[in-house]
Amino acid sequence: MKPARLFAATVLAFAAVAGSARAEDKDLIDAPEVDITAGEPKAGLYLRADLGYAPWTGDDDASYRFNDGVNSGDFDDSRFGKPLSGGAGIGYQFNDLFRADLTGEFFEGTFEGSGRSAQPCSGAAPAGTGCAYDGKADFRAYGLMANGYVDLLNVSGFTPYVGAGIGATHVAWGTFTASASCVDGSGACGGATFADERYAGEDGWRFTYALMAGVSYSVSDRVKLDIGYRFSDIAGGAMFSGGSSGEDAGLRRHEFRAGVRVSLW
């Protein structure tokens, strides 16, 4: 082959190789970027806020001791009302599996109960008659809880979890109002009623624990909606005092809760 033709062929070969290299470089530039940190667990602080609804409060009957112990017993059919609660707190996400938070809780409640004693309501009551009592009061409660959670898995943004918490709840009872009426089997006392008695409410801190389960949904990288169930057990304590006294056996709340978590990282 003549030198001129050999040179031309060599130039064409190099041009073809260079064109192929430029095409490969363009393909590499257009290829999607791979983030090697995408699979690493994220960690950081988050804020949370929750609302709760407790349609059922399981509890033992509250007890009473009226007239310096002459009449005592349990309030049968104890009922607690006002099921709404609220809370807020700050937490830390350690990794994709574990997180923990500190929360403040608040709720109000009402109590109504009735009881019956074999003792007469007063010295003037007929022999063999007893006394029926009705009592009612309001209370307010706020608590501090330390909670830990295990996030089980993530499926299309949904993450089920389980958790537990311990803390203390301050329960403050308002004035306790007790009404009494004379009762017996024959109606001899005519159902006579007596003036209402009012006793000062008691307050104090009580040990509390809670168990939780639910599911969160990622609205965005930083915002998660949370829906779940929580069982909490608040220890019993004094309700009222002042010549007569009463104690509640504790509050066991079954709550459905909804809230939001906002990541700060």
Side-chain angles (χ1 to χ4, degrees), residues 57 59-64 73-81 110-116 133-136:
T57 301
D59 55 84
D60 296 326
D61 291 332
S63 61
Y64 62 85
D74 293 332
F75 284 108
D76 301 325
D77 301 324
S78 298
R79 297 182 300 277
F80 289 84
T110 59
F111 168 83
E112 293 184 9
S114 60
R116 181 167 180 171
Y133 291 99
D134 292 300
K136 59 182 180 180

Side-chain angles (χ1 to χ4, degrees), residues 91-218:
Y92 191 85
Q93 183 84 44
F94 295 97
N95 50 44
D96 286 345
L97 191 61
F98 298 108
R99 57 187 168 89
D101 52 44
L102 296 174
T103 57
E105 316 277 340
F106 175 80
F107 64 93
E108 296 179 319
T110 59
F111 168 83
E112 293 184 9
S114 60
R116 181 167 180 171
S117 171
Q119 298 293 331
C121 297
S122 71
T129 62
C131 196
Y133 291 99
D134 292 300
K136 59 182 180 180
D138 297 331
F139 68 89
R140 305 181 74 183
Y142 54 88
L144 296 173
M145 298 290 293
N147 311 289
Y149 309 87
V150 177
D151 292 323
L152 301 178
L153 73 163
N154 186 299
V155 179
S156 300
F158 291 92
T159 304
Y161 67 85
V162 293
I166 59 172
T169 303
H170 186 271
V171 179
W173 285 95
T175 300
F176 190 93
T177 302
S179 57
S181 59
C182 183
V183 294
D184 69 350
S186 64
C189 62
T193 58
F194 303 89
D196 289 349
E197 297 286 345
R198 289 178 171 81
Y199 305 98
E202 294 285 346
D203 66 274
W205 286 95
R206 307 179 182 188
F207 174 76
T208 304
Y209 74 88
L211 302 173
M212 295 85 75
V215 61
S216 63
Y217 176 72
S218 298

